[in-house]
Amino acid sequence: MLRPIGYLAALLAVTGCTSLDYNAVPVGRFEGSALVVWVGPGDEDTSGDGKFLYVPRTGDELEFFRDASAEASTGNEVIRPGPFYTNGGSIPRFVQNIRGFNAWAFGPAYIIHDWLFVVRKCANDGDPDALSQPIARMEFRETGLIMAETIKTVSAQYDLAPETGQAGSIIAPVTLGPISRALWEQTGACPAQQVAPEHLAIVDEINGVRFDAIIVAPDDGPSKLETLAAPKPSYVIVGTIDFAGR
């Protein structure tokens, strides 16, 4: 009888791609921290674990530095996500009870990988901000390499148990399968990637952003400039993964 992880490998190989040599991919380096805020249950998804907003904190943004030996395309030696929606790892719910296969087992790695697809989808739709990013010119195969690099890096920097780290050798190659490729080439998906104003306000509040507003006096007298705090929406910080000192 196959052990759970062996069964899972055989099952996922049917729909995935095994051309990626996980053991040959180098370990990089994470810096900063990953802060996520829960913004919805993600009921529309059959994978992942809810809908979350990744919030980059000014001066402490999550950054992934790829090793000098990595097959990095020009401009993609360092990946630094902006604010965006993520559901963690898109792991089928029926296997999330297996060690290493829950949606947040390799949280920072999944944030980096999801960001690649957010940028690409908007680049596919001609969004100028996305088109200006090096990720827009990245080949699909590189997304799998980055998945492997980031999983191995999380495992190394956090000294994860071998059983957990072993999952990465299965997950990374599967991300080069036909489902991921279809998402990489998808068009018309950019609007859904845009962060809603009320959620951008969360980013501002967490970062302590203040802004100037023109206040017009009731008697139509001279206007004045006031510095206002960002709106204070209700939200819950789910967790923060900090790489300081690792």
Side-chain angles (χ1 to χ4, degrees):
M1 175 180 289
L2 287 173
R3 297 177 65 185
I5 197 158
Y7 170 75
L8 182 61
L11 178 63
L12 295 184
V14 174
T15 56
C17 171
T18 57
S19 62
L20 188 154
D21 186 352
Y22 182 80
N23 293 325
V25 172
V27 171
R29 183 179 83 258
F30 275 107
E31 290 188 3
S33 63
L35 184 150
V36 291
V37 175
W38 182 86
V39 293
D43 290 335
E44 69 278 8
D45 294 329
T46 57
S47 61
D49 191 24
K51 183 177 183 180
F52 300 85
L53 174 70
Y54 162 69
V55 179
R57 292 190 289 185
T58 303
D60 194 36
E61 300 90 342
L62 181 69
E63 297 177 293
F64 179 61
F65 293 81
R66 304 177 69 185
D67 186 78
S69 65
E71 299 178 40
S73 55
T74 302
N76 290 309
E77 298 85 359
V78 180
I79 308 296
R80 184 183 298 107
F84 76 103
Y85 298 120
T86 176
N87 66 347
S90 297
I91 308 295
R93 295 192 191 280
F94 71 93
V95 297
Q96 287 191 26
N97 63 327
I98 301 176
R99 187 168 186 171
F101 289 91
N102 71 70
W104 290 99
F106 306 102
Y110 295 145
I111 288 173
I112 295 293
H113 189 257
D114 280 359
W115 173 246
L116 302 179
F117 280 75
V118 166
V119 174
R120 177 68 182 204
K121 287 177 182 179
C122 283
N124 291 344
D125 287 350
D127 180 81
D129 290 336
L131 286 170
S132 68
Q133 299 194 42
I135 293 171
R137 299 181 291 279
M138 180 183 292
E139 296 292 334
F140 173 65
R141 179 176 177 275
E142 191 171 354
T143 67
L145 295 175
I146 292 174
M147 183 86 270
E149 292 169 30
T150 52
I151 288 178
K152 290 182 73 172
T153 302
V154 170
S155 299
Q157 286 191 247
Y158 270 84
D159 194 24
L160 299 184
E163 296 85 353
T164 301
Q166 183 183 4
S169 64
I170 298 171
I171 294 169
V174 169
T175 64
L176 285 178
I179 294 176
S180 293
R181 178 175 286 278
L183 292 173
W184 186 250
E185 298 173 351
Q186 186 178 12
T187 58
C190 188
Q193 312 301 315
Q194 304 299 317
V195 179
E198 62 269 25
H199 295 152
L200 287 175
I202 293 174
V203 177
D204 285 344
E205 181 180 352
I206 289 175
N207 282 299
V209 171
R210 305 180 71 85
F211 56 95
D212 293 332
I214 299 295
I215 307 299
V216 178
D219 60 358
D220 293 327
S223 61
K224 61 180 180 177
L225 191 65
E226 286 193 358
T227 299
L228 305 176
K232 291 187 174 295
S234 175
Y235 63 90
V236 176
I237 295 177
V238 177
T240 302
I241 302 171
D242 196 339
F243 285 93
R246 291 187 179 272

